[in-house]
Amino acid sequence: MMKLQKVCLVLLCFFIATTFGAVAPAAPANAAGEMKPFPQQISYPGIIKPSHVTQAAMNQAVASYYDYWKATYLRNNLSSLPGGYYVKGNITGDPDGFTALGSSEGQGYGMIITVLMAGYDPNAKTIYDGLFKTARTYKSSGNPNLMGWVVADSKAAQGHFGSATDGDLDIAYSLILAHNQWGSGGAINYLQEAKKMITDGIKASYVTSGNRLNLGDWDGKDALNTRPSDWMLSHLRAFYEVTGDETWIHVIDHLYDVYQQFSATYSPNTGLISDFVVGNPPRPAPEWYLDEFKETNQYYYNASRVPLRIVMDYALYGDTRAKALADKMVSWIKTKTGGAPANIKNGYKLDGTAIGNYATAVFVAPFISAGTANSNHQAWVNAGWDWMKNKKEDYFSDTYNLLNLLFLSGNWWKPGGATVPEAPNLALNKTAVSSTMEGVGFEPDKAIDGNQMTRWASREGTDPEWIYVDLGAVHQITGVKLRWEVAYAKRYKIEISTDSGAPEHWQEVYSTSSGDGGLDEIPLSPQPARYVRMYGIERGTPYGYSLYEFEVTGQ
């Protein structure tokens, strides 16, 4: 009787799965401790999915397309960076004498794709960490918290190129996803890296005085030129959620204002926007802007990506300004094509006149994604899915097609912020002791006073140096935050002690040999400590060691 019940249960499960589409692609789930393994198959409020296929069929189509994409474009053959992964793809700019293999744009795409496919791909974490290794090694010549825009197999290319805004926004966003997927307690503190990149990289270099996004860290902070395909509004909301910095809300609001002003003047019937936007009030950039394309004043290969970036802000965060823009674009393109996605062309003037002559996924897929914001577009979305799922062309179109497939199938999930409420700073205004100090005004207690304008500084030019804080009693500590001045530690360790008197017995709980200044947020497994010490082994500058703040979190 028990065996019969088991057989019936198996048959029942099979019937339910095959009938209602609950079966995911066969894959090793939670291969690296994933918390959101593929498929997540989210249903976003107010968003439709393809209705003529099962969820299981959509998941399988995404998985198959990912297998193709990975085999075709993902590489880890850099002789100049063993273990470094990159997305192989063509570029449109000058590689300055190097042989370009990929770009920061492709790196950002690949990092988002990989983290969303984790759980299906058992090697996703290894690949992701390898992609991040390349992103960090090929740092920008202008701001080392950003990525140089070209990947080439040469050490001379590492740190040679300036940055490009779109790649860095995707990379930083992917780090938030990685924190949600794997946590930040491993070899890479994804959340710390995300916060550092968002604040010290993207905000410092890309957010202009007028709350626009400029084009790279080589561009000015007073720039009025901007590229709408960089307006990743849902990314910016995620930046706000993990940093609490209102700047990102101001940027979002301003970019919506720019789009609405632009469309009212130049594309009132289509909702289209040009590859680049300049000036105030906003207007299309001239032809051949930055020597990229003649059509930089039209809806071309940059702007083609915009509809996905817009609709995601409605899908994930419910902003109705995004829905209005998406509805206008889709209503126009459906009329223009007779409701057939295969009739979309690869380029349009802002008034809707076609300048392209064939359909390619980087133009088609975003218009299909934008259609999900309105149930009146169900047939459009269904036809688009069928067109997209087997379309295979080149790096740019295929990669952006896969991002859209992930969104359409509900497998691009909304990231959360920091996963726990902020723990109290146990070190605040306690007693601090240091090995040395630079002089009057740089005492160790300046690092625990909660004032980010004051700092402790050791004497210059000597190793090792240290500073510790006495918490006054034994506490369960959960992390350490170090906010460095210019004089930072390249190699240091965190040590703790539970001694009741002056500390004598130190236990190492963290170490690094690749410190690069800024803010270091170091999560620790909960453990008892009364004394917590930063022990600097090797300076990162010719100066000494200097901390604006030395915080210890816990209870």
Side-chain angles (χ1 to χ4, degrees), residues 278-296:
V278 299
N280 187 25
R283 63 184 186 274
E287 291 183 347
W288 294 109
Y289 189 66
L290 301 179
D291 294 326
E292 185 152 345
F293 298 112
K294 178 184 178 183
E295 298 85 356
T296 44

Side-chain angles (χ1 to χ4, degrees), residues 35-36 175-183 413-417 419:
M35 292 179 278
K36 292 183 176 289
L175 286 163
I176 301 172
L177 294 175
H179 168 70
N180 283 252
Q181 185 69 277
W182 296 298
W413 36 268
K414 175 183 174 181
T419 56

